[in-house]
Amino acid sequence: QVQLVESGGGLVQPGGSLRLSCAASGSIFSINAMGWYRQAPGKQRELVAGITSGGSTNYVDSVKGRFTISRDNAKNMVYLEMNSLKPEDTAVYYCKAVVIVRLWGNELDYWGQGTQVTVSS
């Protein structure tokens, strides 16, 4: 079993910053891609930022220049630094990891439980 646990969400004023963290634990042989998704009320879940095991990143256009994704492979952690937050960034943020649980095993997707980010004055 693999568990992902997010932390760092909360209430912040427009223009403020938050840092989300996600820790993966359990039966992990290796982790390929990791990413942050978000889902606002009444909207579909969307990819916010992704990062490969080699450190290549991609972002949804609406957060480029404001959010930064990073990871610590030794600790099986991924982070999302969010700056210049806007009310439209309000959502539940989910961490996802593409995990191989054993040598020659298949890639499996695991999700965290989500953390609420609310941007409001």
Side-chain angles (χ1 to χ4, degrees):
Q1 289 282 22
V2 175
Q3 298 82 36
L4 272 63
V5 178
E6 301 107 334
S7 61
L11 173 64
V12 64
Q13 292 187 342
S17 299
L18 282 175
R19 186 180 191 234
L20 305 182
S21 300
C22 173
S25 62
S27 300
I28 297 171
F29 177 76
S30 66
I31 301 178
N32 290 340
M34 302 185 82
W36 288 95
Y37 291 70
R38 66 186 178 188
Q39 187 166 19
K43 295 188 176 181
Q44 290 189 333
R45 189 174 297 189
E46 66 170 350
L47 173 65
V48 176
I51 185 167
T52 67
S53 57
S56 296
T57 59
N58 64 286
Y59 299 90
V60 67
D61 285 347
S62 60
V63 308
K64 286 180 180 178
R66 300 189 297 122
F67 291 10
T68 302
I69 189 170
S70 61
R71 64 189 285 175
D72 184 331
N73 291 333
K75 297 181 179 179
N76 290 334
M77 293 195 69
V78 64
Y79 308 95
L80 186 67
E81 187 75 33
M82 304 186 293
N83 298 314
S84 302
L85 282 160
K86 304 175 181 180
E88 51 264 43
D89 295 318
T90 295
V92 178
Y93 284 70
Y94 298 90
C95 169
K96 175 187 168 182
V98 181
V99 178
I100 298 175
V101 298
R102 63 182 184 278
L103 185 62
W104 309 121
N106 295 326
E107 291 182 335
L108 300 172
D109 291 348
Y110 290 91
W111 292 85
Q113 80 287 352
T115 185
Q116 177 71 46
V117 171
T118 302
V119 184
S120 175
S121 54

